[in-house]
Amino acid sequence: MNLSFFRLVRLFLVVAGLALAAASVALAPARAQTETSTTAAGDSLLDRQRAAIEALMERGENLQRLVEQNATDDARLVELRLELEDLAAAFLEAGVEFRPRLNEINLRLDTLGPVPGEDQPPEPEIVAEERAALVQEKAEINALLGRAESESLRVNRLIDQISAMRRDLFTDTLSKRYDIVSALSPGTLDDLVAEAHDLYRAFASWLRFVTTFKWQSVLIATLLAMAAAGLILFVGNRFFSGMVEVDEDHPAPTYLSRISVAFWSTLLPSASLAVFFGASYFFFDYFNVLRSDIAAMLSTFAQVAVIVFFVNRLARAALSPGRPDWRLLPVDSKSAFRLFWLAWMTAVTNGLDVAMNKINQVMGSPLSLTIAKSLIATVIVGVLVTLIGLVRPARGEEDTQGRPRLTLLNYFFLALGIGTTVAAILGYIGFARFLSKQIVITGAIGATMYIGFLSASAISREGAFIDTALGRFVRRRFLLEDGSLDQLGLVASVCTNILIVAVGVPLILLQWGFQWGDITSWAYRLANEITIGSVSFSLIGILTGVLVFALGYFLTRGFQGWLDGSVLTRGRVDAGVRNSIRTAVGYAGIAIAALIGVSAAGINLSNLALVAGALSLGIGFGLQNIVSNFVSGLILLAERPFKAGDWIEAGAVTGTVKRISVRATEIETFQRQTVILPNSDLINAAVGNWTHRNKLGRVEIRIGVAYGSDVKRVHDILLEIGRGHPLVLKNPEPFVFFADFGASSLDFELRLYLSDILSGLSVQNEIRFQIVEAFEREGIEIPFPQRDIHIKSGPGALGSAAPPAEAPRTAPAAKEVPEAPAAEAEPAAKETTPRRRRRRRAVDPDS
C-alpha cells in the first residue's frame, strides 16, 4: 500500500513537470512579443517626442526673430510674450510625456538586476541585449529631456528680455525731451494746412465711395447699431426705473437715492453710446464699408466721444449744478457749476489731443506738427486742472479772509496741473500727455469706482436694501422678512465691491501702460496658483471646493427633508427615531461634502497630518470637554435613552426635549425657558424620562379624613371616583391605599394609571373637585391642623403657663404629575398640602 502511494506521488510530479515545461514553451513567444511591443512603443514615443521638441525649438527661433523685429512695439511684445509662455509650457509637457516610459525602464532594469561581475557566470544573451536596449533608450530620453530643458530656459530668458524692453520703452516715452522751439516755427503752420487738406481728401473720397456703392449697407448697419443701443436703454430703464433720472417731486432724497441716481444715470447712457459706436464699427467692417485708414481714425473718434460723454454725465451726476439736493460733493452751486465745466472742458481737450495724434499717425504727419499740437493740448489741460484745484469747498476751516481753506485734494489737483504745464513747456511732451490722459481717464474711472463703493456701503446699511427697487421686488417675489433682506443687502454689497474691483482695476492698469495680455496673464496665474512660501493654492480650486461643498450641503438638506417627510412619516416612525436619523444623516452628509470640497479645492489631505497631530494634542488638553460632548451626543443618538418630545428630569432641569445635537441637548422647561445642557452631563448623571418607551404613568392623590369617619365608605368613594374618570385606565385599575394615621387625620392615597402621563395635572384637578363634592354629600369631614390653648386661673397663673400641645404633624407632600405643555399648564413633580381654613375654638375659662 505504501509502495503504490509513492508511485502515485511520483507519477503526479512527472505530470506536473511536463505541464510546467509545456506552459513555459507556450508563454515564451508571448513574452517575447510583449517585450518587442514594449520596445516598439518606446521607439515610437522617442520619435514622436523628438519631432515635437524639434518643432518647438523651431517655433522658439521664429519668436526670437519676431521679438527683435518688434522691439519698439509694446502691444506686439506683449503678444509675443504670451506665445513664449505657451512655448515654455509646451516644453515642460514634452518632458512630462517621458515620465511613464522612464519609470518602466527603471523598473525593468531593477528586475534584471546588476550586470554580472568578472568572476560570475555571464548572463544569457537575450538578457544582455534587453539590458543594452533599455540603457540606450534611457540615454536617448535623457538627451531629449536635456534639450527640452535648455530650450525652456532660453525661452524664459527671452521672456525676461521682453519685460526689460517694455520697461525701457515706457521710460523712454516719458523721459524723452523734444525741441518745442522748432515745433512752434512758422513751417509747422504750413504742415497743419497740408495735413488738413490731405484729411479732407481722404474723407471726401471715402464718403463718395460710401454714397455710391455702400449706402444700403451703411443704413442697415446704423439701424442695427441704434437698435442695440435702444435695447440697452430700454432694459436699463425697465429694471432701474427711478434711478436714471432725478425725481423732481422728491425734495429731500436719501443718500442712497442720490448715489444710485448718480451711478445709473452715468452708466446706462454711456453704455448705450458705447454699444452704438461699437456695433456701428462692427457692422461697417462686416459690410466692408471701412478702409484701413478711415477705420483707424473712426475707431479713435468713437472712443474719444464715449469718454467725453462719460465724463460729462459723471460730472453732471456728481455735481448737479442746478439741483443742490442731489449733489454728492460738499460744494456750493457756484463752485459746482465751475467744476462741471472745467472737468468737461478738460475731457474735451484731452480727447481732441488723442484724436489728432491718431490722425497724425495715420496721415504720416511731420514730428514737429505732432509736438506742437500735443504741447498746446497739454498746456490747456494743465491750466484747466490748476483752475479745478483753486475751487474751494463749501465748508471747512476758514483763512484770514474768511474763505474756506484749500484741502489736500485741492493741493493735489494744483500739483497735477502745474506739473503737466511745466513738463510740456520744458519739452517733456510724452510725460505731459501721460499725465493729462491719466487725469481725465483714470480720474473718471476712479470717480465711478468711488461712487460704486459708496453705493455698496449704503446698501449694506441696516434697512437700506429693503427700500431699493430690487429689495422690494425680492420681498414681493419670495415673501422674505426684513432680516433676510438685510442679509441679502450685505451679499449684494460684497458682490458690488467685487464687481467694481474686477472691472475698474483692469481699466486703470490699461491706462498706465499695461496691455490686456499682462492682465490676463496675471489673472490666470492668480486664479490657478498662488505660492506663499512652500504652500501653493488656487483661487479657482478654492472656489470650486466652496461650490462643491455648498452643493453637497443643499443636497444633504434636501435629502433630509425627503427622508423625513416622505419615507419616515409614511412608515409611521416615531418622532424621536426620525429626529435621530435626520440628525445622523445631516452630519454624515455635511462631513462627506466637506471632504469632497477639500479634495476639489486641490488640498492634499495628507498635508493635514501635522494639523491633525496638533489637533490631537489640543484635544488632549483644551478640547477634552468638546470631544466628550461630541462623543456623548453620538451615544445619545445611537442608544436613544430619550428623544425629541420626551419629558425628562436632569438634575434641577425638568422639561421637554426639543433637539438633540452632537454637542448639546436643547430642553424647554414648562416656563417656556430653553436650557442647553451639554451631552456629557446627560451621559454621566442620572436622567429621569417620564415618556421613555410609552406615555403610561401613575399619579397619586393624597387626602385626609377626620377621625371617626367611616373608612370603608371613604375607600369606596375614592375608588368609585377613580374608576369613573374617562382618562383613568381600567387595567391596571385604580387603587386606594390607607396610608397612615396622621396627627389630625386618617391619610388615604388614591393611585391612578393614565395612558398619557402628560395629562396628569388636569386629571388630578378634576378628581380633587369630585372628592370635595362627594365628601360634602356624605358628610365626611376633611380635618385641618388645630391647637388647644389652656388658660389657668388663680395665683401663679401668669408665672406658669400650661405647656403647649404638640403641634400636629402635617401630611407629607404628595407626588403630582403635571399637565401636558399643550394645555399651558406647568407639570410639577410635587404637590403641596392644600391650604385649610383655620377656625378659632372657644376657650372655657373654667376648664
Side-chain angles (χ1 to χ4, degrees):
M1 180 177 180
N2 292 335
L3 186 60
S4 62
F5 174 74
F6 285 114
R7 288 178 179 175
L8 290 174
V9 171
R10 187 183 303 170
L11 180 61
F12 175 75
L13 292 176
V14 171
V15 173
L18 292 175
L20 290 175
S24 62
V25 172
L27 291 177
R31 186 183 303 110
Q33 184 179 0
T34 302
E35 294 172 356
T36 304
S37 62
T38 303
T39 305
D43 294 339
S44 63
L45 177 64
L46 275 172
D47 296 337
R48 186 173 65 253
Q49 292 302 112
R50 183 182 291 109
I53 291 175
E54 290 177 354
L56 292 176
M57 293 172 62
E58 183 179 357
R59 180 185 171 192
E61 294 175 356
N62 293 332
L63 289 175
Q64 185 175 6
R65 286 193 296 269
L66 290 175
V67 169
E68 296 173 356
Q69 295 173 2
N70 298 273
T72 58
D73 190 347
D74 184 72
R76 181 58 178 159
L77 288 177
V78 173
E79 296 176 359
L80 293 175
R81 190 191 68 181
L82 294 177
E83 294 184 17
L84 288 171
E85 290 177 351
D86 296 337
L87 182 61
F91 275 118
L92 292 178
E93 292 177 0
V96 171
E97 290 290 332
F98 286 114
R99 287 183 181 177
R101 180 57 184 164
L102 281 176
N103 293 334
E104 293 178 3
I105 293 174
N106 293 328
L107 181 61
R108 183 58 182 164
L109 290 176
D110 293 339
T111 304
L112 295 178
V115 179
E118 297 179 356
D119 55 345
Q120 295 179 351
E123 59 185 358
E125 183 178 357
I126 187 172
V127 176
E129 292 177 357
E130 182 182 359
R131 185 193 304 277
L134 292 175
V135 171
Q136 181 181 359
E137 184 181 356
K138 184 177 180 180
E140 293 179 357
I141 291 177
N142 288 330
L144 284 177
L145 287 176
R147 293 178 62 187
E149 184 176 359
S150 62
E151 287 297 321
S152 177
L153 293 175
R154 187 171 69 89
V155 169
N156 289 328
R157 287 195 299 269
L158 191 57
I159 292 173
D160 296 336
Q161 181 182 350
I162 289 177
S163 300
M165 294 169 65
R166 294 186 62 214
R167 285 195 299 269
D168 294 339
L169 282 175
F170 185 73
T171 304
D172 292 341
T173 301
L174 296 183
S175 61
K176 188 175 182 179
R177 185 177 181 183
Y178 297 92
D179 185 8
I180 61 174
V181 176
S182 60
L184 297 177
S185 61
T188 306
L189 184 60
D190 297 335
D191 295 335
L192 177 61
V193 173
E195 183 184 83
H197 183 66
D198 294 339
L199 180 64
Y200 172 77
R201 287 190 301 173
F203 270 95
S205 63
W206 176 70
L207 288 175
R208 283 194 299 270
F209 166 75
V210 169
T211 54
T212 305
F213 302 101
K214 294 289 186 178
W215 66 272
Q216 298 96 341
S217 300
V218 171
L219 181 61
I220 294 174
T222 305
L223 291 177
L224 292 175
M226 292 178 63
L231 180 63
I232 295 294
L233 284 178
F234 174 77
V235 174
N237 289 321
R238 179 68 178 83
F239 285 97
F240 302 101
S241 58
M243 292 187 292
V244 179
E245 297 295 337
V246 174
D247 187 4
E248 300 291 348
D249 297 333
H250 203 323
T254 62
Y255 189 67
L256 180 60
S257 299
R258 288 184 287 162
I259 293 176
S260 299
V261 169
F263 183 78
W264 293 110
S265 64
T266 301
L267 184 62
L268 284 179
S270 302
S272 176
L273 184 63
V275 168
F276 172 75
F277 283 124
S280 299
Y281 183 86
F282 172 79
F283 288 118
F284 282 0
D285 184 67
Y286 179 79
F287 292 122
N288 296 320
V289 175
L290 299 175
R291 292 197 318 241
S292 59
D293 55 343
I294 300 298
M297 288 187 287
L298 289 183
S299 175
T300 303
F301 295 163
Q303 295 176 19
V304 169
V306 171
I307 292 174
V308 171
F309 180 78
F310 178 79
V311 172
N312 179 276
R313 297 291 302 185
L314 180 64
R316 186 182 299 275
L319 296 170
S320 297
R323 300 180 179 90
D325 294 336
W326 292 87
R327 191 172 299 149
L328 296 179
L329 299 181
V331 294
D332 53 25
S333 298
K334 184 177 180 181
S335 299
F337 182 80
R338 292 176 179 176
L339 287 175
F340 168 72
W341 281 103
L342 289 173
W344 188 31
M345 293 306 299
T346 302
V348 170
T349 305
N350 186 77
L352 290 176
D353 180 38
V354 173
M356 289 187 295
N357 186 64
K358 174 58 73 173
I359 293 175
N360 293 338
Q361 292 179 3
V362 173
M363 305 301 297
S365 303
L367 180 61
S368 58
L369 181 59
T370 303
I371 294 174
K373 288 190 291 187
S374 298
L375 173 64
I376 296 173
T378 51
V379 169
I380 294 175
V381 169
V383 173
L384 292 174
V385 174
T386 303
L387 294 176
I388 291 175
L390 292 176
V391 176
R392 298 177 181 271
R395 54 183 178 273
E397 297 183 2
E398 297 181 352
D399 57 10
T400 56
Q401 299 179 1
R403 298 177 302 176
R405 293 181 181 273
L406 298 179
T407 62
L408 292 177
L409 188 61
N410 292 105
Y411 289 115
F412 175 73
F413 279 107
L414 286 174
L416 282 179
I418 296 174
T420 303
T421 305
V422 172
I425 294 175
L426 293 178
Y428 295 99
I429 303 299
F431 182 68
R433 293 188 72 248
F434 177 79
L435 284 180
S436 62
K437 181 180 179 181
Q438 304 315 314
I439 290 171
V440 176
I441 302 179
T442 305
I445 297 173
T448 306
M449 293 177 63
Y450 180 68
I451 293 176
F453 288 137
L454 291 179
S455 300
S457 177
I459 290 174
S460 65
R461 295 174 184 172
E462 184 176 0
F465 184 72
I466 304 173
D467 297 331
T468 62
L470 181 60
R472 290 190 293 268
F473 170 77
V474 172
R475 169 182 278 178
R476 291 193 306 267
R477 179 66 178 82
F478 299 101
L479 303 177
L480 297 179
E481 298 179 352
D482 292 348
S484 301
L485 289 174
D486 278 336
Q487 294 176 356
L488 286 178
L490 292 176
V491 174
S493 174
V494 173
C495 294
T496 303
N497 287 325
I498 294 175
L499 181 62
I500 291 171
V501 173
V503 175
V505 171
L507 293 177
I508 292 177
L509 292 177
L510 287 174
Q511 307 308 316
W512 284 79
F514 297 96
Q515 302 292 333
W516 274 116
D518 299 321
I519 298 173
T520 54
S521 177
W522 294 339
Y524 180 80
R525 294 175 183 175
L526 183 65
N528 286 276
E529 185 175 3
I530 299 176
T531 302
I532 301 177
S534 59
V535 179
S536 299
F537 59 92
S538 169
L539 291 181
I540 291 180
I542 293 176
L543 181 61
T544 303
V546 171
L547 292 177
V548 169
F549 174 76
L551 179 62
Y553 176 82
F554 287 113
L555 286 177
T556 299
R557 293 306 183 199
F559 180 74
Q560 278 183 292
W562 173 81
L563 182 65
D564 185 31
S566 300
V567 179
L568 300 179
T569 303
R570 293 183 180 181
R572 292 184 174 86
V573 181
D574 183 74
V577 178
R578 288 164 49 192
N579 177 71
S580 299
I581 294 175
R582 185 173 60 249
T583 304
V585 169
Y587 283 113
I590 292 175
I592 294 173
L595 291 176
I596 297 176
V598 169
S599 300
I603 300 175
N604 190 358
L605 296 179
S606 61
N607 295 333
L608 301 178
L610 183 61
V611 178
L615 186 60
S616 301
L617 184 62
I619 290 173
F621 289 98
L623 303 180
Q624 305 180 62
N625 294 333
I626 296 177
V627 175
S628 175
N629 291 326
F630 180 79
V631 175
S632 299
L634 297 179
I635 294 174
L636 290 177
L637 291 174
E639 293 186 354
R640 298 180 60 250
F642 52 83
K643 57 187 180 297
D646 282 358
W647 170 28
I648 67 171
E649 294 181 359
V653 179
T654 300
T656 304
V657 177
K658 289 297 182 182
R659 183 172 177 268
I660 304 173
S661 63
V662 293
R663 191 197 68 82
T665 297
E666 179 182 331
I667 300 175
E668 184 180 286
T669 66
F670 301 111
Q671 290 84 13
R672 294 298 186 266
Q673 179 190 30
T674 299
V675 180
I676 308 299
L677 281 181
N679 289 329
S680 58
D681 294 347
L682 299 173
I683 289 292
N684 298 326
V687 177
N689 190 347
W690 286 86
T691 57
H692 180 42
R693 291 184 176 86
N694 51 54
K695 295 184 178 181
L696 179 65
R698 191 186 77 180
V699 297
E700 296 88 16
I701 301 176
R702 296 182 179 182
I703 185 67
V705 298
Y707 278 94
S709 301
D710 186 356
V711 293
K712 293 290 185 180
R713 183 57 182 159
V714 171
H715 177 275
D716 295 339
I717 292 174
L718 294 177
L719 196 60
E720 181 182 355
I721 293 174
R723 289 173 176 173
H725 198 282
L727 297 180
V728 176
L729 294 177
K730 307 301 180 182
N731 186 20
E733 66 175 354
F735 176 73
V736 177
F737 174 54
F738 192 168
D740 198 4
F741 295 95
S744 59
S745 64
L746 300 173
D747 298 330
F748 289 84
E749 186 177 284
L750 176 58
R751 298 178 178 179
L752 309 171
Y753 291 90
L754 306 178
S755 59
D756 187 359
I757 190 66
L758 298 177
S759 62
L761 194 61
S762 62
V763 172
Q764 293 181 77
N765 194 46
E766 294 172 2
I767 288 182
R768 286 194 179 98
F769 279 115
Q770 295 179 16
I771 291 174
V772 171
E773 294 173 357
F775 281 7
E776 287 181 355
R777 286 196 306 267
E778 297 292 334
I780 299 175
E781 180 184 358
I782 300 176
F784 52 87
Q786 56 187 355
R787 185 185 299 273
D788 292 334
I789 301 176
H790 300 274
I791 300 177
K792 260 186 174 183
S793 59
L798 296 176
S800 59
E806 182 182 357
R809 180 171 55 90
T810 59
K815 186 173 183 180
E816 177 181 352
V817 179
E819 178 61 50
E824 295 298 334
E826 174 189 350
K830 302 296 180 181
E831 174 192 5
T832 58
T833 304
R835 184 175 180 179
R836 299 169 182 167
R837 186 182 57 184
R838 297 180 59 87
R839 292 181 296 180
R840 293 186 178 275
R841 186 174 180 181
V843 179
D844 185 4
D846 296 333
S847 60

